[in-house]
């Protein structure tokens, strides 16, 4: 019979639940907690999804005679067990191969991008962390490396007063020192393997910006100054700024700037342990479903070896 049990499909249902309501819940957390929660949840959902596809594909493959012969399996033993049919198994195999290829391809691209960024930062003349670039276009971004660099154009500095410029640099310094580029790269790789997780990837980007905003607020001691700096910097950026593929982040119009400004004008967010608990339960459920599916596949193989 061509059936799928609840544990087979559960890892694929969870991303749908996390995509809309889950994102809004997580973004209510303090930014640092939101980043870690999003990263952990995306990791579990992406990897359990891959594992679930692999288990379904492996189960379906057992219906092929060539697999039975190579594995020295008993057709009689296999026929006694309700398992995944050939069409479902083939579809899962194609999906698994596609997802795995996307995962590996994205990992290679992110690794190459980070390596290029590190090299570019290392080759930048001078030893200062902040590099001021004579440019008529307002921009500010970071490049990770040893040492990492913060690039800011003269046009951007001209658009801000001294306190606001300090807030902007503190924001970029937060990205650099907290290694936000690693969070972004890892979640991008995971979301490449499972397109259903793209809302979590976008949510992570917002939480990373909010984390840097809160770092800047602590550094300058005034949340309102950081809010004004972000708003003025975003307005100074051209509508279609040149993209820098090596940079971790560039300020641009949109990019949830109004939400960030509103968050800074409000009191600092408080911890919500219930939200973290819900994310932990979802992650644990996905892992349990995959382990249960693996146990079921093991049972099938044991029955197939029975003579």
């Amino acid at each position: 019979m061509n059936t799928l049990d609840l544990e087979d499909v559960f890892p694929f249902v969870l991303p749908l639940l996390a995509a809309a309501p889950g994102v809004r819940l997580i973004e209510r957390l303090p930014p640092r907690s939101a980043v870690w929660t999003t990263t952990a949840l995306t990791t579990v959902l992406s990897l359990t999804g891959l594992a679930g596809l692999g288990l379904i594909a492996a189960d379906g493959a057992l219906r092929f005679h060539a697999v039975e012969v190579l594995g020295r399996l008993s057709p009689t033993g296999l026929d006694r067990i309700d398992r995944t049919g050939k069409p479902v198994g083939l579809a899962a195999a194609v999906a698994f191969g596609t997802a795995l290829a996307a995962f590996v391809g994205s990992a290679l691209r992110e690794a190459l991008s980070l390596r290029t960024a590190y090299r570019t930062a290392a080759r930048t003349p001078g030893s200062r962390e902040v590099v001021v670039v004579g440019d008529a276009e307002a921009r500010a971004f970071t490049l990770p490396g040893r040492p990492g660099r913060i690039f800011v154009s003269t046009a951007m500095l001209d658009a801000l007063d001294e306190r606001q410029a300090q807030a902007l640099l503190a924001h970029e310094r937060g990205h650099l020192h907290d290694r936000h580029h690693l969070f972004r790269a890892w979640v991008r790789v995971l979301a490449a393997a499972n397109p259903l997780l793209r809302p979590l990837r976008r949510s992570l980007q917002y939480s990373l910006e909010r984390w840097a905003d809160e770092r800047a607020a602590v550094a300058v001691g005034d949340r309102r100054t950081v809010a004004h700096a972000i708003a003025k910097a975003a307005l100074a950026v051209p509508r279609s700024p040149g993209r820098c593929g090596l940079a971790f982040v560039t300020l641009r119009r949109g990019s949830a700037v109004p939400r960030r400004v509103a968050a800074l004008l409000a009191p600092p967010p408080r911890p919500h342990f219930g939200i973290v608990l819900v994310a932990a339960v979802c992650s644990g459920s996905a892992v349990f479903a995959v382990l249960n599916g693996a146990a079921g596949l093991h049972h099938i193989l044991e029955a197939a070896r029975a003579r």
Side-chain angles (χ1 to χ4, degrees), residues 99-120:
L100 187 61
F103 181 92
V104 173
S106 180
L108 290 175
R109 288 192 298 272
E110 293 296 330
L112 289 174
S113 178
L114 287 175
R115 185 183 69 172
T116 304
Y118 272 63
R119 289 181 174 179
T120 303

Side-chain angles (χ1 to χ4, degrees), residues 128-210:
R128 292 185 177 181
E129 182 180 61
V130 178
V131 179
V132 179
V133 181
D135 193 340
E137 186 174 287
R139 63 177 68 202
F141 60 89
T142 65
L143 282 182
R146 297 189 180 91
R149 305 284 188 166
I150 298 171
F151 293 83
V152 58
S153 68
T154 52
M156 177 64 80
L157 294 177
D158 290 340
L160 307 174
D161 62 30
E162 184 177 353
R163 287 276 290 169
Q164 292 166 352
Q166 291 175 358
L168 175 66
L169 293 178
H171 171 95
E172 297 297 336
R173 195 170 285 113
H175 283 312
L176 194 61
H177 291 181
D178 290 325
R179 302 182 183 276
H180 290 178
H181 55 283
L182 297 180
F183 289 98
R184 190 188 75 154
W186 176 236
V187 170
R188 283 169 67 92
V189 171
L190 296 169
N194 188 345
L196 295 176
L197 298 176
R198 287 177 181 172
L200 285 174
R201 184 187 70 181
R202 292 191 293 270
S203 178
L204 177 88
Q205 182 65 41
Y206 169 76
S207 296
L208 288 173
E209 293 297 330
R210 285 284 299 115

Side-chain angles (χ1 to χ4, degrees), residues 17-302:
L17 300 177
V23 161
R24 288 300 182 186
L25 282 175
I26 291 173
E27 289 179 357
R28 292 174 58 188
L29 293 170
R32 185 175 183 273
S33 298
V35 168
W36 280 103
T37 302
T38 303
T39 303
L41 185 61
T42 308
T43 299
V44 172
L45 295 182
S46 181
L47 296 184
T48 53
L50 275 174
L53 286 173
L55 289 172
I56 296 172
D59 191 354
L62 296 178
R63 285 191 177 271
F64 290 88
H65 179 68
V67 176
E68 294 176 356
V69 173
L70 291 174
R72 299 180 180 180
L73 304 177
S74 168
T76 304
L78 288 172
D79 290 339
R80 292 198 302 263
I81 301 175
D82 182 20
R83 297 177 294 112
T84 302
K86 286 183 181 180
V88 176
L90 283 173
V94 172
F96 177 77
T98 303
L100 187 61
F103 181 92
V104 173
S106 180
L108 290 175
R109 288 192 298 272
E110 293 296 330
L112 289 174
S113 178
L114 287 175
R115 185 183 69 172
T116 304
Y118 272 63
R119 289 181 174 179
T120 303
R123 292 171 182 169
T124 301
S127 58
R128 292 185 177 181
E129 182 180 61
V130 178
V131 179
V132 179
V133 181
D135 193 340
E137 186 174 287
R139 63 177 68 202
F141 60 89
T142 65
L143 282 182
R146 297 189 180 91
R149 305 284 188 166
I150 298 171
F151 293 83
V152 58
S153 68
T154 52
M156 177 64 80
L157 294 177
D158 290 340
L160 307 174
D161 62 30
E162 184 177 353
R163 287 276 290 169
Q164 292 166 352
Q166 291 175 358
L168 175 66
L169 293 178
H171 171 95
E172 297 297 336
R173 195 170 285 113
H175 283 312
L176 194 61
H177 291 181
D178 290 325
R179 302 182 183 276
H180 290 178
H181 55 283
L182 297 180
F183 289 98
R184 190 188 75 154
W186 176 236
V187 170
R188 283 169 67 92
V189 171
L190 296 169
N194 188 345
L196 295 176
L197 298 176
R198 287 177 181 172
L200 285 174
R201 184 187 70 181
R202 292 191 293 270
S203 178
L204 177 88
Q205 182 65 41
Y206 169 76
S207 296
L208 288 173
E209 293 297 330
R210 285 284 299 115
W211 188 359
D213 291 343
E214 294 295 333
R215 285 285 197 184
V218 172
V220 301
D222 185 359
R223 299 173 65 81
R224 188 171 294 273
T225 297
V226 179
H228 290 168
I230 291 170
K232 289 182 67 174
L235 290 173
V237 173
R239 291 186 178 274
S240 300
R243 297 187 63 184
C244 180
L246 306 180
F248 166 70
V249 65
T250 58
L251 278 167
R252 51 188 172 274
R253 295 194 178 193
S255 65
V257 168
R259 289 178 60 200
R260 291 166 55 197
V261 170
L264 283 165
L265 294 177
R270 295 180 178 181
H272 292 274
F273 298 107
I275 297 175
V276 177
L277 180 61
V278 170
V281 169
C282 290
S283 300
S285 300
V287 172
F288 176 79
V290 169
L291 292 177
N292 197 28
L297 181 61
H298 176 73
H299 174 68
I300 291 173
L301 293 174
E302 289 297 315

